[in-house]
């Protein structure tokens, strides 16, 4: 079972679901099927949600506890569990409880990471035997950001987000701010003012410091004053940027002043000190044999 923590109280196991930042996000074109072609760097973080799982001997999948605004059947963790059931024909089920720290609609990948952790953990707990690549392929059916969390490596991503090249990024401390409002991703992709023809960036170009921004930042700034306020406030302390399509923003800071910045966070916003990691904490819980770790 790897190194999953068995909790007191009846066979529950706990699994990390880390957040991510998009260090840049370009839209380089659009496919004939309407999907946008993207380039981004996913920076995994040492902070996120925790997924608690308990195996059932029937095939029932149950979420324990409510998630505001998300019906059980629509929850990505429930959908992930059922997808793995169908793919492997297991007769087992699970109870799922989420310790939610990552804000929803925050551009930090919470739903995708929760789904990825559910796939990876239940693959082990149910003894399904799927490899990481197979799990990532299943995850892509749930969302474009799920595969990077399944692979568990910070990465340069292209295509619709499925072409991943692992990166070893420098050790950085960030202050992340959630402005208190979510941003609907699908709506932003339809905005006429979104730049959809950014020149493609190479990995070497990114590493050497070529100019790279978030194409959604001016669109979100103009439409969501709370996000604009967060960008402006955090911008006092460095080069503040939008993560994903928002709403969260972040800045690189020295660790010794990070907490002081968080302590000044304006009312209505939430802030955290986080560190970037190149390997997901989820990987530390997996066996290194049997093809489970890339």
């Amino acid at each position: 079972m790897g190194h999953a923590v068995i909790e007191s109280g009846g066979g529950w196991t706990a699994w990390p679901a880390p957040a991510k930042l998009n260090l840049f996000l370009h839209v380089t074109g659009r496919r004939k099927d309407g999907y946008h072609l993207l380039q981004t760097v996913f920076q995994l973080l040492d902070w996120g949600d925790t997924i608690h799982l308990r195996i059932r001997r029937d095939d029932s999948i149950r979420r324990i506890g409510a998630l505001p605004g998300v019906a059980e059947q629509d929850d990505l963790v429930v959908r992930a569990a059922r997808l793995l059931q169908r793919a492997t024909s297991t007769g087992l089920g699970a109870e799922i409880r989420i310790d939610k720290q990552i804000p929803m609609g925050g551009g930090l990948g919470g739903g995708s990471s929760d789904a990825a952790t559910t796939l990876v953990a239940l693959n082990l707990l149910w003894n399904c035997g799927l490899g990481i690549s197979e799990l990532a392929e299943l995850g892509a059916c749930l969302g474009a950001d799920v595969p990077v969390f399944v692979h568990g490596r910070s990465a340069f991503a292209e295509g619709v987000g499925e072409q991943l090249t692992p990166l070893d990024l420098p050790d950085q401390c960030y202050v992340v701010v959630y402005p208190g409002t979510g941003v609907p991703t699908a709506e932003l992709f339809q905005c006429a003012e979104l730049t959809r023809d950014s020149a493609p960036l190479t990995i070497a170009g990114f590493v050497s410091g070529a100019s790279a921004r978030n194409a959604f930042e001016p669109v979100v700034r103009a439409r969501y004053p709370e996000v604009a306020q967060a960008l402006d406030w955090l911008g006092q302390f460095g080069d503040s940027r939008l993560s994903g399509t928002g709403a969260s923003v972040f800045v690189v800071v020295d660790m010794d002043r990070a907490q002081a910045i968080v302590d000044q966070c304006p009312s209505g916003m939430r802030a955290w000190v986080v560190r970037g990691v190149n390997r997901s904490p989820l990987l530390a819980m997996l066996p290194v044999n049997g093809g489970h770790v890339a």
Side-chain angles (χ1 to χ4, degrees):
M1 297 294 181
H3 302 90
V5 177
I6 305 293
E7 301 175 6
S8 59
W12 287 91
T13 56
W15 305 79
K20 58 82 176 169
L21 297 174
N22 297 91
L23 299 188
F24 81 95
L25 179 54
H26 287 176
V27 183
T28 58
R30 200 170 187 175
R31 299 195 315 198
K32 290 180 180 178
D33 60 8
Y35 279 95
H36 288 79
L37 298 172
L38 308 174
Q39 284 190 317
T40 191
V41 165
F42 289 108
Q43 168 71 80
L44 299 182
L45 302 178
D46 66 351
W47 163 83
D49 296 340
T50 303
I51 305 298
H52 303 268
L53 297 167
R54 183 163 62 181
I55 300 173
R56 293 179 62 93
R57 298 301 164 185
D58 58 19
D59 62 359
S60 178
I61 303 294
R62 294 184 182 173
R63 184 183 72 185
I64 308 299
L67 202 57
V70 182
E72 182 172 357
Q73 68 270 19
D74 298 326
D75 194 321
L76 278 176
V77 297
V78 173
R79 292 173 55 200
R82 290 182 173 149
L83 184 62
L84 185 62
Q85 271 186 332
R86 290 194 300 272
T88 61
S89 302
T90 181
L92 298 173
E95 293 173 350
I96 308 171
R97 180 164 49 85
I98 308 171
D99 176 6
K100 196 76 184 145
Q101 301 297 317
I102 306 171
M104 293 188 292
L108 301 174
S112 297
S113 187
D114 293 348
T117 292
T118 300
L119 286 172
V120 171
L122 286 179
N123 181 57
L124 286 174
L125 294 171
W126 288 343
N127 291 312
C128 296
L130 298 186
I132 284 289
S133 295
E134 294 167 291
L135 291 170
E137 197 172 320
L138 285 179
C141 301
L142 299 167
D145 287 356
V146 178
V148 72
F149 292 109
V150 171
H151 284 286
R153 292 289 307 274
S154 289
F156 189 94
E158 299 181 271
V160 295
E162 84 291 359
Q163 300 171 30
L164 298 169
T165 304
L167 286 183
D168 286 324
L169 298 168
D171 183 21
Q172 300 272 30
C173 175
Y174 302 90
V175 170
V176 177
V177 172
Y178 175 65
T181 184
V183 172
T185 298
E187 174 187 305
L188 292 176
F189 273 103
Q190 304 309 316
C191 292
E193 65 268 36
L194 177 66
T195 300
R196 294 180 171 84
D197 58 354
S198 296
L201 188 67
T202 63
I203 294 175
F206 170 78
V207 170
S208 67
S211 177
R213 298 296 299 186
N214 188 324
F216 291 92
E217 190 170 306
V219 180
V220 174
R221 178 184 274 280
R223 288 170 179 250
Y224 294 90
E226 300 95 335
V227 179
Q229 290 167 12
L231 281 163
D232 290 342
W233 177 76
L234 202 56
Q236 302 173 86
F237 308 105
D239 181 17
S240 61
R241 298 193 175 198
L242 187 76
S243 181
T245 55
S248 297
V249 302
F250 66 95
V251 67
V252 177
V253 294
D254 294 330
M255 177 60 90
D256 59 5
R257 69 183 191 123
Q259 190 58 49
I261 295 172
V262 167
D263 291 342
Q264 300 172 53
C265 183
S267 176
M269 300 183 191
R270 295 162 63 196
W272 302 268
V273 178
V274 301
R275 291 197 80 96
V277 293
N278 287 319
R279 292 174 63 84
S280 167
L282 181 63
L283 291 187
M285 307 186 60
L286 305 184
V288 294
N289 54 12
H292 292 297
V293 176

